[in-house]
Amino acid sequence: MKAPSKVPAAQSVLRVLAHLAAQRGPTPAAVVASALDLPRSTVYQLLDVLVAQGFVVHLPEEHRYGLGVAAFELSSGFSRQEPLSRLGRPLIAKLVDRLGESAHLVVLHGRDVIYLVEERAAHRPSLVSDIGVRLPAHLTASGRALLAALPAAQLRALFPTSGLEQRDGRGPRTKLELRAVLDRVRTDTYATEDGEITPGIASVALAVRDHAGWPAAAIAVTFAHDRFAEAYWPEIAQIVAATAAELSSRIGGRPR
């Protein structure tokens, strides 16, 4: 059991901000109070202070509160300091040492994934991925792990048309085929890709969740297809899952 905070007001402010950040949109004050089990009067007082400082914006017509510009500036500072890369790099290196295969950390950007960390194992095939490279999310294991963790509405927004980009004619060609791929990811709890980016190269990946349960990043291990029988891939996934859980913990996330 956690010891009570010596600065309860500060703790309450942070709880309010964290709750607003976890929502998909602006929220009524009464809902915040109920969710946090705080008196409404206290929540309104805290929100007034946060609005005055720019961390929260009040939408009077909707009777709701959302994150303000100052909160966005904190988020931008977070991005500038590259915490995901800094926190993830040593974990990816340990993963490579353990499996003897290459591994990487990516984030979702639109319909693509961007590689933040890339650790190459010795004497392994060269890869098209590298730090800063973008690849179609629906064709990569790491991208599929991220897409499978998104709400249905977000997926529809990302893929409004049926046709999907191909490489060498492999991978899902339509939204219906992509849906089947992502359903398999949710069932297996990990994502795979086999030759859809580079012939003969396969990957196993899992998402890294943030404090709101949102897929903040994904970790993947990439290897020559003939190195491991597919029956062994679930064991690789378990090892990757442990690394993803550790990174999730480091960024303040929660297990799923």
Side-chain angles (χ1 to χ4, degrees), residues 73 83 99 116 154 223:
E73 290 172 349
L99 289 173
L116 298 184
Q154 180 114 10
F223 46 89

Side-chain angles (χ1 to χ4, degrees), residues 217-250:
I219 294 173
V221 170
T222 299
F223 46 89
H225 174 85
D226 57 8
R227 285 275 296 168
F228 302 107
E230 288 189 36
Y232 183 67
W233 291 9
E235 294 187 42
I236 297 175
Q238 288 183 356
I239 296 171
V240 178
T243 302
E246 185 172 354
L247 180 54
S248 179
S249 177
R250 288 190 176 197

Side-chain angles (χ1 to χ4, degrees), residues 25-211:
T27 306
V31 173
V32 176
S34 177
L36 301 181
D37 194 23
L38 290 172
R40 288 193 186 188
S41 59
T42 299
V43 169
Y44 277 110
Q45 290 171 2
L46 295 174
L47 288 170
D48 285 344
V49 172
L50 289 168
V51 168
Q53 297 298 320
F55 286 95
V56 168
V57 61
H58 180 216
L59 306 174
E61 291 79 12
E62 300 180 34
H63 305 289
R64 293 170 183 262
Y65 292 83
L67 294 180
V69 173
F72 173 77
E73 290 172 349
L74 284 180
S75 173
S76 299
F78 180 89
S79 299
R80 286 194 301 272
Q81 293 178 21
E82 299 181 328
L84 271 175
S85 298
R86 291 172 181 268
L87 293 172
R89 189 171 290 110
L91 299 181
I92 299 298
K94 288 181 182 178
L95 185 61
V96 171
D97 289 343
R98 179 170 181 181
L99 289 173
E101 302 294 340
S102 300
H104 54 257
L105 175 72
V106 310
V107 293
L108 191 64
H109 191 273
R111 294 168 58 153
D112 296 333
V113 290
I114 298 178
Y115 289 74
L116 298 184
V117 177
E118 179 83 6
E119 290 287 343
R120 303 288 176 85
H123 312 299
R124 291 294 178 264
S126 61
L127 304 172
V128 298
S129 57
D130 204 345
I131 295 174
V133 166
R134 301 172 69 113
L135 289 174
H138 66 283
L139 295 180
T140 67
S142 50
R144 291 170 181 175
L146 290 166
L147 294 175
L150 292 178
Q154 180 114 10
L155 274 176
R156 288 194 296 270
L158 285 175
F159 299 95
T161 59
S162 181
L164 301 178
E165 180 181 347
Q166 297 286 293
R167 287 172 67 94
D168 299 324
R170 305 195 64 179
R173 293 164 296 177
T174 66
K175 289 198 295 184
L176 188 61
E177 291 181 0
L178 177 60
R179 185 184 306 162
V181 169
L182 300 183
D183 284 344
R184 176 66 183 272
V185 173
R186 298 182 190 106
T187 299
D188 292 343
T189 70
Y190 63 90
T192 63
E193 172 269 315
D194 190 3
E196 289 155 89
I197 294 296
T198 302
I201 301 295
S203 296
V204 172
L206 282 95
V208 176
R209 306 269 185 170
D210 66 11
H211 70 284

